[in-house]
Amino acid sequence: MKKTYTIQSIVCTEISPGKGSMAWQLRDNADERLRKVSGISTLDKNGLIESVRAIYTREAPLIDALLLRQEGDSFSIDFTGFNQAQGYINREMYANMQKCERLSCMVGKLWRVLAVMALLVVLSLSWMLNSSMTKFSQQQPLIHHEQLP
């Protein structure tokens, strides 16, 4: 699987002496989707980066390619060899996330539909109760105070 990215930003942070983190904000040139890639860095005594390893093994070749580039650079990377060597299947990174987004959107709509239906049921029951009480009261004879025992 070959991908082309443009580096939007690079953030380097020192976490503790000898340890840091790096985060790259990438834009996928195919669909303009933004992606964040992070790595853990080893720092020397002066706080300079000695090495960076990927947090997720699957991103190792991407981290290696990112270390050679700067903000604003565009580059292409082919994951095919790495995926085959590691036994990974080619998959679209955001496919599962898109499915979850659609599902959560449907759940949100479902709650609205259920709320409207519940409101309609309550209104219908109150109208039926009101109309039956009105009919019942109309069928009852009027009792005047003089007729009471």
Side-chain angles (χ1 to χ4, degrees), residues 9-128:
S9 65
I10 303 171
V11 177
C12 303
T13 308
E14 185 174 358
I15 298 171
S16 63
K19 187 176 182 181
S21 71
M22 291 190 71
W24 293 267
Q25 184 80 25
L26 306 177
R27 182 177 41 83
D28 189 332
N29 292 356
D31 60 6
E32 300 295 319
R33 191 178 284 261
L34 290 176
R35 174 181 182 183
K36 183 178 179 182
V37 178
S38 300
I40 303 296
S41 57
T42 305
L43 308 175
D44 65 9
K45 295 176 209 164
N46 298 325
L48 300 174
I49 299 170
E50 287 181 343
S51 65
V52 179
R53 68 175 173 81
I55 293 175
Y56 302 105
T57 308
R58 193 173 186 125
E59 293 179 338
L62 185 55
I63 295 287
D64 293 341
L66 288 168
L67 290 173
L68 305 173
R69 292 174 173 77
Q70 297 182 9
E71 202 171 295
D73 289 352
S74 288
F75 67 99
S76 293
I77 183 169
D78 190 359
F79 292 98
T80 306
F82 179 78
N83 287 345
Q84 288 173 346
Q86 298 297 321
Y88 294 135
I89 59 169
N90 284 339
R91 63 178 172 87
E92 190 56 41
M93 183 177 141
Y94 293 102
N96 191 33
M97 186 182 299
Q98 290 168 346
K99 181 179 177 183
C100 290
E101 287 172 352
R102 284 193 303 265
L103 183 61
S104 68
C105 184
M106 286 175 27
V107 168
K109 288 179 182 178
L110 178 65
W111 282 114
R112 284 188 213 138
V113 168
L114 290 175
V116 168
M117 288 180 65
L119 181 63
L120 289 174
V121 166
V122 167
L123 289 173
S124 174
L125 290 174
S126 63
W127 180 80
M128 289 187 333

